[in-house]
Amino acid sequence: MVNPNRQKIELWETLAEKINAELVIVQKQFNEVHKKRQHMAAEGDRLRQMKLQYAEDLSRIQSREHDINSATHIRNFMAHLDHTVASVDREVTDLQTLESKIRRRLLELNKEQQKYSKLRDRAELQARRTSERAEQKNQDMMSILRYEVKAL
């Protein structure tokens, strides 16, 4: 006969293992997205810094006699930088949104893991108590039998 308490323990352990496996996958996804977002944010900062440097160069070129082609080239490059920075900023925003969704999923999985862990602990406690009661009942029966034997 299979012990129902043992079945409960195994059920909660199985569910906890499934959650743990999913947690590992989701944690890995979170780390990848977080790393990519940080990289993209750093790239955006680098591009903004580059744009400032080119703005200073353009200002310097325009303050003295200059070739119109070089100034136009710098303006066109700065316009291209503006588009690139805007694209990077959109990507960072999208990654932040994705990171938030993954973080919420991680929290949900952690809660489920804790729930299954507590349910497993409760089932183990119940199994231990059942075993202790059965042992106590056996000891009581043995004591009664010994008393009956002595009484005869």
Side-chain angles (χ1 to χ4, degrees), residues 25-85:
I25 292 168
V26 173
Q27 183 66 46
K28 191 179 290 187
Q29 289 173 342
F30 177 80
N31 291 339
E32 290 171 4
V33 169
H34 181 73
K35 190 176 185 178
K36 186 174 181 179
R37 183 188 58 80
Q38 285 181 323
H39 173 73
M40 292 301 288
E43 187 66 18
D45 291 342
R46 187 184 67 78
L47 291 172
R48 277 187 273 289
Q49 190 63 34
M50 185 186 294
K51 184 181 170 202
L52 288 174
Q53 184 63 41
Y54 275 97
E56 290 173 8
D57 291 348
L58 180 62
S59 180
R60 224 177 307 119
I61 289 173
Q62 288 177 339
S63 67
R64 62 180 203 268
E65 285 188 33
H66 64 281
D67 180 21
I68 292 180
N69 285 339
S70 64
T72 303
H73 177 70
I74 291 174
R75 280 191 199 100
N76 288 340
F77 184 71
M78 288 177 62
H80 176 71
L81 277 177
D82 283 338
H83 293 296
T84 304
V85 167

